[in-house]
Each structure stands twice: as C-alpha cells, then as structure tokens.
Amino acid sequence: MKSKQFKSDFLVIGSGIAGLTFAIKASRYGTVNIATKKQDFDSNTNYAQGGIASVLAPDDSFDRHIEDTLKAGAGLGNRTAVEILVREGPGRIRELMEWGAQFSEREGSGGTVLDLGREGGHSMNRIVHARDLTGKEVERALLKKVSEIKNIRLFENHTAVDLLTEHQLGPKAKRRGTIHCYGAYILDNTSGVVNTFNAKMILLATGGVGQVYLHTTNPEIATGDGIAMAYRAGALIGDMEFIQFHPTALYTPKGTGPSFLISEAVRGEGALLLNTRGERFMERVHPLKDLAPRDIVARVIDMELKKYGVPNVYLDITSKSKKFLMRRFPNIYARCLQEGIDISKDPIPVVPAAHYLCGGVISDTNGKTSIENLYVSGESSCTGVHGANRLASNSLLEGIVFSHRAFLQAEEHLRSLNRKPAIQRFPNWNKEGTFDLEEWVLVQHDIEDVKRLMWDYVGIVRSDKRLQKAHKRILMLAEDIHDYYKKSTISSRIVELRNLATVAKLIIRSAMARRDSIGLHYNSDHPRTGARKMNVVLQAAHEPKLVRLGRD
Ligand code: FAD
Ligand code: SIN
C-alpha cells in the first residue's frame, strides 16, 4: 500500500484530556485531525480515579490552592503558571460539566452541591470527582462531544513516529536556525503504512512515561512518545528527573500489567497507612501524617519496605462501612474483592509504583514549545506548575487549563501563517532496507531490561553509583534498540521501544546533572537541596543545563 498525505489546520497527537479538549475548541477555527495509537479512550486520563482539584467551595481560596501547589512542588514551581492553573480551573471545570461530564454531588444546606474530596498535600476539600472513576467520565464526555463535531477526524490505531521538522530534510535545512514543525509521520498500525500528516499547528498530547518502569499505574500507551519525538526534533525538555511514585498501588504477589491504583482519595476519607507490625508510620514524619505530599509518603514506605524486608505495607479503611465504600469507591471495592480483599474488613496491601512525570517538553504558559508551530499540553508538557512534585489531582486540571490557553493562540496562529510561505513538502516515509524482524523475543527482552534497569537504579531513592551504572547500561541498550529500529519493518511496538530508551536516557541524564535532592528526586549521596533551586534542561546534541525556568 502507498503512503498518503493528510492535511488539516490542526494536528492533535493523543486523545486524552489534553488532546480532546484542544481539538473540541480548535475545531471552531479549522479542520482537526486527531491521531491516537490505540482505541480512542486508551489513555492515562481514562484511568484517573481521585479527581480534579479546583477552588469551588465557598470557604476555599485561590491563594490556598496556589500555596498548596507551590509547597508540594518543593518551591521549584513557577508561580505565574501555578496562578494561571488555579485561577482558570473553575471555569474549565464548569465547561466540562456543560459538555456533559457528571460529577458526584451531595446535599448541601442550600440544595445539591459538588461533593469535594480531599487528597494528600491539600489544605482543603477541593477534589471534584465522579466516584472513583473520574477519568472514565471525563473521557466519555469529551469523546461524545468530539463525535458531534464535523470538523474533527479521529484516527484510531495511528502511532506518530516522528515530527516533520527541518531535521527530516537533511543537514542543510537543519542548520538554518529556528526549527519549525509541519506535522508528523504517522503509522497506520493496521496497514503498516507510514503516512504524512501536514498541519499548521500541531499539539502534542501524548501523556506520560510510566511504562519505562517495571511497576507502574500507567496503561501501556504511556511510553513517552511525544517527548522523545520532540527531543529528536530539537525541542527543549525539562524536569525529567521528577518521576512521581504513587504511594499506594495495590500489591498482588503475582502482579502483571499495570498496577491497580488505590486512590489517594481513600486516605482523604480517613484510611490509615500501617506497616506490617500494625504501626502508623506516617505519624512521626509529617504534620499532615497519612495525607502528607506523595514524594514524602512514597519515600517513607520505601524505607519501611527496606527496613523490614517486606513486599508491602497496608492501607486500612475498615473504619468506614461497606455501604459507604461501595458507593464512594465502587471501582476499588470491586477490584480488591477480585483479589479476595473486602476493604470494609481487611487492610489493603499496597506498594509504591511509578505514576506521573512532572517534566516534559518545555512550554510557555500558552503551550508554545521552543519549536515553531509545535504546542504541547498535559502530562507530556513541562509548564512549571508541578515544580519538583505534583500536587494530587492537579494533572487533569493542567490538561484542561493549558489546552484552553493553547486554543486561545489558535486563531492568531492560523492568521499569522497565512501571511507566510506555504508549508514545506516532506518526502514520503522511506522503508528501504528494512525487513520483518524474526527475533521479537530479543525486542521483548530489551523492553524488560529498560524497565528493570529504571526500577532498580533510577527509582525512589537514587545514588551516584546507581545512576552511573544505569547510564552505562542504557547507552548500550539504546544502541541495540536503534539498530533494531533502523533495520526492522516499522511497527508500533518498535516505535515505543525506541522512545522508551530515549526517555529513560533523558531521565537518567537529568538525574545525574542534578547534584542535590529536591521533591521527587532523592539522591542519597546529595541529600540536601542546593542553595539555588535549579531546573535541568536538555536539548539533543547539547550537555544538560542547570537553569531556573520561569523565574519571576
Ligand atoms: P493521556 O490521557 O495519557 O493521553 C495520551 C494520549 O496520547 C493517549 O490517547 C495515547 O494513546 C496517545 N498517544 C501516546 N503516544 C502516541 C503516539 N505515538 N501516537 C499517537 N497517539 C499517542 N490525575 C489527576 O489529576 N487526578 C487523578 O485522579 C488522577 N488519577 C490517576 C490515576 C491513574 C491510575 C493514572 C495512571 C493517572 C492518574 N492521574 C490523575 C494522572 C492523569 O490521569 C494524567 O496525567 C492525565 O490524564 C494525562 O492526560 P494527557 O491528555 O496528557 O495524556
Ligand atoms: C489518585 O486518585 O490517588 C490519583 C490522583 C492523582 O494522581 O492526581
């Protein structure tokens, strides 16, 4: 089958909250193509449990949410971006509700009000949720809205392989200063053909990198594709060392596939963390005890596991009735029961798992990256709102707020492009010299090697020696993987493996460049935070730079 060329005003890569929100809005100004690598709903968004943080209670305030966010981020957050996130949040949540998202409610004194939950690091109840299935509800509402818009075409089972920038046009074009993006090469997973998608404005919304770790709450799509593509094209990437480990993934002795999350909202409803001796270990560590920010809780659990040589700790919500738990957490209740755990009677065995990436492709507060025409939103972006550690339920919020802000640029962006020369023509994808790989088992081994390496050497607690070892190993693995990529017939899996190796390298290099400990990055050889709080910024073919992003 021959390669095809697709054209639209906007190209959105990813169909989670960030991509769909932008697509719905941008369709007012032009045609939108959305490419997504599996089914439309396959995304981290669809798995979100706890909810969306926002100031909606009369006794809450923007200042409190801003301070909670900056504090959780260990002072590395960008205040301007955080203020935007918090102040624009309520408007975006109301919009989601207008589009049909239904959130849990309760009876208040003046009638029905949103039932606002509590999570770690929040000084108030401010989590809007749909029981413990918030992401599913948001994704449902957004996909329904998308299906009603004629200007949008959604391509399922389409994996973006690389961005169309000057780097695809040879070394001469590469040297000409500013980099521009004109679209992407996208693999049709069904036919195996790589097509060219041209657009005037491209939004990367490919989500996180959880799959780079052996144990993760993230589904299979989370392989860091957008970040790896942007890095290869020359974009600035930041804060990659800040991997958030969720403290409470369900521990199952023979766990395979993504770890099931036990939402922080369970602690928000009063669950207690206990060690295997039945002791409340968070009491002595932090004033917020079991509801301390995630970096702290995950690290303390890690210490408990090492101290007693046990595989898990426990989360105890048996203080609540079965009726309450089945209504508030139907998903968690049912899943635990499948494992033989009745959470109204038994403490839940839990263990930390890789959950969220705070860094990504650096953008300004309008989603603009360092590459012309290329925007980014959601988990693959680095807006600076999370600093060194994300506050719970600020991620879905980031997706809707910054996709809206990128959309506000869309009309002017199209207008300005219409005044400039037409978009570049890129050659069709070249598949010469590739062949069907016979030894898939080797690829599978490489995937497992990367995941285990990251888990063992670049996990919750790091050290210089472990990072150096990890760096050495990843360079060898990446070379091996690059070889497969060049020689084998292209497939979604090989694209993902290549990207996993790239993001693993970016995480390791960022962690090595940082010579202190802050937020989610803890290096036992440098346990203190440096006097000047700095961010690590990476760009292809350059050494990592330590700068302070978005200083205000
Ligand atoms: P995603 O929702 O992950 O969407 C990424 C999209 O990009 C997917 O459609 C994917 O298929 C597509 N894609 C990826 N690569 C390619 C490619 N190469 N080509 C084409 N398409 C591609 N956050 C909160 O704020 N509150 C919560 O309660 C919460 N709970 C969570 C629970 C779990 C179990 C998990 C895993 C995360 C949770 N998070 C929560 C985090 C939050 O869900 C994510 O950060 C957020 O949904 C990211 O949205 P996104 O649109 O950026 O990416
Ligand atoms: C959770 O429900 O604990 C996840 C919330 C989040 O990741 O923000």
Side-chain angles (χ1 to χ4, degrees):
M1 217 186 275
K2 269 181 77 181
S3 292
K4 290 188 225 149
Q5 302 253 347
F6 293 91
K7 280 202 174 92
S8 56
D9 292 307
F10 305 100
L11 172 64
V12 175
I13 309 179
S15 61
I17 191 167
L20 296 179
T21 300
F22 177 83
I24 290 168
K25 288 167 175 264
S27 65
R28 284 183 218 168
Y29 297 136
T31 51
V32 185
N33 281 336
I34 307 176
T36 192
K37 67 179 169 179
K38 291 200 166 188
Q39 280 183 275
D40 53 8
F41 57 82
D42 273 317
S43 59
N44 274 8
T45 300
N46 205 45
Y47 282 69
Q49 294 186 357
I52 315 179
S54 196
V55 176
L56 292 159
D59 53 346
D60 198 359
S61 72
F62 288 144
D63 284 347
R64 289 187 82 143
H65 190 182
I66 290 165
E67 288 318 312
D68 290 348
T69 301
L70 288 169
K71 204 161 152 191
L76 202 62
N78 171 353
R79 182 175 275 276
T80 309
V82 171
E83 291 202 354
I84 288 169
L85 175 85
V86 167
R87 290 180 195 280
E88 297 186 10
R92 300 286 74 79
I93 293 204
R94 280 186 209 107
E95 204 163 52
L96 275 183
M97 291 165 72
E98 280 161 23
W99 290 348
Q102 290 179 6
F103 296 119
S104 298
E105 295 178 335
R106 65 175 175 80
E107 282 312 310
S109 49
T112 311
V113 291
L114 283 172
D115 180 35
L116 300 174
R118 183 81 167 257
E119 288 179 0
H122 288 276
S123 58
M124 294 291 297
N125 279 36
R126 61 168 77 99
I127 316 295
V128 179
H129 60 95
R131 298 183 296 168
D132 58 353
L133 291 157
T134 309
K136 211 176 218 100
E137 176 55 14
V138 169
E139 190 73 15
R140 181 201 64 74
L142 292 174
L143 283 171
K144 181 161 182 295
K145 183 87 187 152
V146 162
S147 72
E148 291 161 359
I149 300 176
K150 288 210 174 62
N151 254 359
I152 304 182
R153 186 164 173 200
L154 197 148
F155 294 76
E156 287 182 309
N157 296 310
H158 275 67
T159 305
V161 179
D162 258 322
L163 295 173
L164 300 176
T165 65
E166 285 81 359
H167 81 298
Q168 307 281 4
L169 295 171
K172 244 190 186 164
K174 217 175 183 176
R175 279 200 297 270
R176 260 188 249 134
T178 314
I179 309 169
H180 300 78
C181 183
Y182 301 98
Y185 284 126
I186 300 185
L187 167 71
D188 175 343
N189 301 342
T190 318
S191 66
V193 174
V194 177
N195 297 310
T196 310
F197 281 67
N198 282 124
K200 297 173 185 163
M201 180 170 176
I202 296 94
L203 182 88
L204 273 181
T206 49
V209 301
Q211 284 293 325
V212 81
Y213 283 92
L214 193 61
H215 302 292
T216 178
T217 61
N218 291 192
E220 282 178 359
I221 56 96
T223 50
D225 297 359
I227 298 165
M229 286 191 288
Y231 177 74
R232 284 193 289 274
L236 294 176
I237 312 288
D239 287 349
M240 290 297 288
E241 70 277 31
F242 298 126
I243 303 290
Q244 185 169 74
F245 290 81
H246 197 294
T248 60
L250 177 66
Y251 170 74
T252 50
K254 282 196 194 130
T256 53
S259 309
F260 181 78
L261 183 75
I262 307 294
S263 174
E264 203 154 296
V266 177
R267 272 178 286 143
E269 295 290 355
L272 302 175
L273 283 161
L274 304 174
N275 63 18
T276 42
R277 302 161 152 217
E279 295 159 351
R280 285 191 63 187
F281 52 86
M282 284 310 298
E283 276 199 315
R284 327 164 222 128
V285 180
H286 195 274
L288 286 171
K289 300 177 188 167
D290 303 83
L291 277 173
R294 271 184 206 169
D295 54 336
I296 294 162
V297 182
R299 212 151 39 236
V300 176
I301 294 178
D302 189 65
M303 271 161 52
E304 287 287 324
L305 302 184
K306 286 179 177 145
K307 186 162 138 196
Y308 296 111
V310 290
N312 62 281
V313 293
Y314 290 97
L315 186 64
D316 189 343
I317 186 74
T318 55
S319 57
K320 294 285 183 193
S321 71
K322 185 169 175 162
K323 192 171 158 211
F324 171 84
L325 293 171
M326 285 176 75
R327 183 166 37 83
R328 177 69 178 87
F329 301 114
N331 181 32
I332 295 172
Y333 187 89
R335 179 68 181 82
C336 288
L337 211 54
Q338 278 175 13
E339 297 293 329
I341 305 157
D342 176 347
I343 67 170
S344 68
K345 295 193 186 119
D346 312 312
I348 311 165
V350 289
V351 69
H355 182 63
Y356 183 82
L357 168 69
C358 294
V361 184
I362 293 178
S363 77
D364 68 8
T365 51
N366 297 314
K368 200 170 181 322
T369 70
S370 55
I371 294 184
E372 282 296 312
N373 312 333
L374 181 68
Y375 288 71
V376 64
S377 177
E379 194 166 337
S380 40
S381 70
C382 175
T383 58
V385 295
H386 307 305
N389 175 39
R390 175 180 65 104
L391 184 66
S393 286
N394 265 357
S395 170
L396 295 172
L397 182 66
E398 184 188 32
I400 41 177
V401 167
F402 288 93
S403 282
H404 174 76
R405 291 180 68 86
F407 148 74
L408 293 178
Q409 306 298 305
E411 193 181 18
E412 174 50 29
H413 185 83
L414 291 196
R415 210 178 303 129
S416 77
L417 281 189
N418 289 339
R419 293 194 291 263
K420 290 182 191 160
I423 51 181
Q424 290 269 7
R425 266 196 79 78
F426 282 81
N428 281 349
W429 182 259
N430 182 2
K431 58 183 270 190
E432 264 171 45
T434 60
F435 55 87
D436 286 348
L437 200 64
E438 280 161 13
E439 295 186 306
W440 266 104
V441 66
L442 300 179
V443 174
Q444 195 53 37
H445 277 174
D446 276 355
I447 293 181
E448 279 156 28
D449 281 354
V450 172
K451 287 159 88 79
R452 189 167 291 283
L453 172 76
M454 294 301 287
W455 185 256
D456 288 344
Y457 295 129
V458 201
I460 298 174
V461 175
R462 300 158 181 182
S463 71
D464 286 348
K465 201 166 154 199
R466 282 185 202 183
L467 291 175
Q468 277 155 14
K469 258 193 155 161
H471 191 234
K472 225 164 135 184
R473 298 261 346 258
I474 197 68
L475 291 182
M476 280 163 55
L477 275 167
E479 206 173 305
D480 219 21
I481 290 165
H482 185 71
D483 217 40
Y484 286 139
Y485 176 78
K486 280 278 164 212
K487 291 185 189 149
S488 70
T489 309
I490 194 148
S491 70
S492 193
R493 203 64 187 129
I494 205 98
V495 168
E496 289 179 338
L497 174 59
R498 177 195 190 207
N499 292 332
L500 281 174
T502 302
V503 290
K505 224 168 20 178
L506 298 182
I507 296 167
I508 296 167
R509 290 187 72 201
S510 304
M512 287 174 84
R514 179 168 279 296
R515 311 295 291 176
D516 67 354
S517 291
I518 181 167
L520 295 160
H521 173 80
Y522 183 80
N523 182 331
S524 53
D525 293 317
H526 312 279
R528 288 177 194 284
T529 299
R532 291 165 67 226
K533 292 185 176 172
M534 306 295 264
N535 302 82
V536 179
V537 173
L538 299 173
Q539 191 178 24
H542 293 271
E543 284 303 305
K545 270 198 197 131
L546 278 161
V547 293
R548 180 70 211 249
L549 290 172
R551 189 192 293 279
D552 26 57

